[in-house]
Amino acid sequence: LPGEHGHGFVAAINLGLTEAEGDIVVFLNNDTVPDPDWLGALVGALDRNEWASMATSRLMLYDRPGYFHSTGDYYGLNGVPNSRGVWQADSGQYDREEEVFGPQAAAAAYRSEVLADLALRGGTTPPGYVLDPQLWMYCEDVDLNLRARLRGHRTVYVPTARVRHRLSATGGGVLASYYVGRNLIYLIAKDLPWRVIWRHLPSILGTQASIAFEALRAVQGAAARARLRGMLVGLLTWPRVLPARRRVLASALISPSRFEKVLRKFSRGA
């Protein structure tokens, strides 16, 4: 879907949001299978928890429904996002409704006023969108979570909102490797306050070096080569995100030190 709304997955969501109505907007990937009562559970959690701006589902692996894909996403101080509970067997450890860092957007609900707030703050290129067209696809929900947290918005995890997720059924492989490699670098440059970058620079650089080293070890594979290409493009073109960075950080409602504490809190508990 190339055009004014961006390209690919981001374009589809941005275009859909221009037509969406109501107080709550729900994202649901086409490679998911929700339980019949999933939507009621997800929306009901927002009704119960007025403090929450967003709600995230209990995402299970499609082919291994006893194992988690995500019970909410988080962002590490090493500059890499991850999903809480990913690959773990379900033994009841995530049965509690509680706050998490942000939603896994494959199956999540957002208050419309929150999405409008994030679009208004100009954290995309071009400005005015909910998801950043510059990211194209992959990590666009990570970007949204970081921007939302900087604005003070919070997320509730809903264990009764169960969804099975067939991972990368409409993507993955070379495509995912390239854009994840590029976009992880973009997000560091775009959304992290300087305090966080400088205080954790050795970990950030070390993690990127480790990712590159692992890709080099598997360089005969197309996905590994795509990851390296994406990382190289990210390193060469990250100044493209600086205009959006200025708008993101200028509109932040929590201090860099508070943001750092939030990142630490939720990555430690993952």
Side-chain angles (χ1 to χ4, degrees):
L1 283 173
E4 62 177 325
H5 299 285
H7 302 266
F9 179 79
V10 168
I13 295 295
N14 283 337
L15 182 60
L17 289 171
T18 65
E19 303 295 329
E21 299 179 354
D23 295 332
I24 295 174
V25 174
V26 174
F27 292 4
L28 183 66
N29 278 17
N30 64 351
D31 55 4
T32 59
V33 180
D35 280 6
D37 58 353
W38 162 77
L39 185 58
L42 199 63
V43 173
L46 288 178
D47 290 339
R48 286 191 302 276
N49 298 284
E50 294 184 0
W51 55 267
S53 302
M54 301 163 283
T56 193
S57 303
R58 183 194 197 106
L59 280 158
M60 313 302 293
L61 298 177
Y62 182 87
D63 295 321
R64 303 172 70 194
Y67 287 78
F68 291 105
H69 172 223
S70 176
T71 61
D73 283 3
Y74 63 95
Y75 190 88
L77 288 165
N78 62 352
V80 174
N82 211 335
S83 295
R84 194 177 71 135
V86 64
W87 317 131
Q88 293 180 22
D90 183 0
S91 60
Q93 70 271 44
Y94 296 114
D95 283 352
R96 185 175 64 185
E97 187 170 289
E98 59 188 336
E99 184 178 4
V100 294
F101 181 77
Q104 219 295 345
Y110 303 81
R111 298 193 193 276
S112 297
E113 61 187 12
V114 171
L115 296 182
D117 172 65
L118 294 173
L120 181 65
R121 303 304 160 183
T124 64
T125 301
Y129 292 103
V130 172
L131 298 184
D132 192 345
Q134 194 163 227
L135 298 179
W136 206 84
M137 62 172 59
Y138 295 103
C139 301
E140 70 289 323
D141 56 342
V142 180
D143 172 61
L144 189 65
N145 289 344
L146 291 167
R147 288 157 49 208
R149 273 289 174 177
L150 284 165
R151 291 286 297 165
H153 299 304
R154 299 161 65 193
T155 298
V156 61
Y157 160 65
V158 190
T160 54
R162 183 183 173 95
V163 177
R164 288 186 298 151
H165 189 197
R166 191 192 297 271
L167 298 184
S168 299
T170 53
V174 171
L175 190 71
S177 294
Y178 174 85
Y179 282 105
V180 170
R182 188 196 71 168
N183 289 348
L184 288 183
I185 293 172
Y186 276 9
L187 296 190
I188 294 167
K190 179 186 175 191
D191 296 322
L192 295 189
W194 286 119
R195 172 191 171 95
V196 175
I197 292 175
W198 291 127
R199 284 171 59 90
H200 301 279
L201 189 60
S203 178
I204 291 170
L205 293 178
T207 300
Q208 288 295 316
S210 178
I211 293 170
F213 178 72
E214 290 301 317
L216 283 169
R217 289 181 60 186
V219 74
Q220 292 184 344
R225 293 196 299 273
R227 173 60 69 94
L228 290 169
R229 287 197 303 273
M231 295 178 73
L232 179 60
V233 170
L235 288 170
L236 293 176
T237 65
W238 64 265
R240 293 177 181 175
V241 305
L242 292 181
R245 173 187 176 83
R246 287 191 286 269
R247 295 189 291 268
V248 167
L249 297 184
S251 67
L253 293 180
I254 66 173
S255 68
S257 61
R258 175 60 184 159
F259 182 66
E260 181 182 15
K261 289 177 182 177
V262 169
L263 292 177
R264 180 177 287 110
K265 171 185 175 181
F266 288 105
S267 60
R268 180 184 295 144

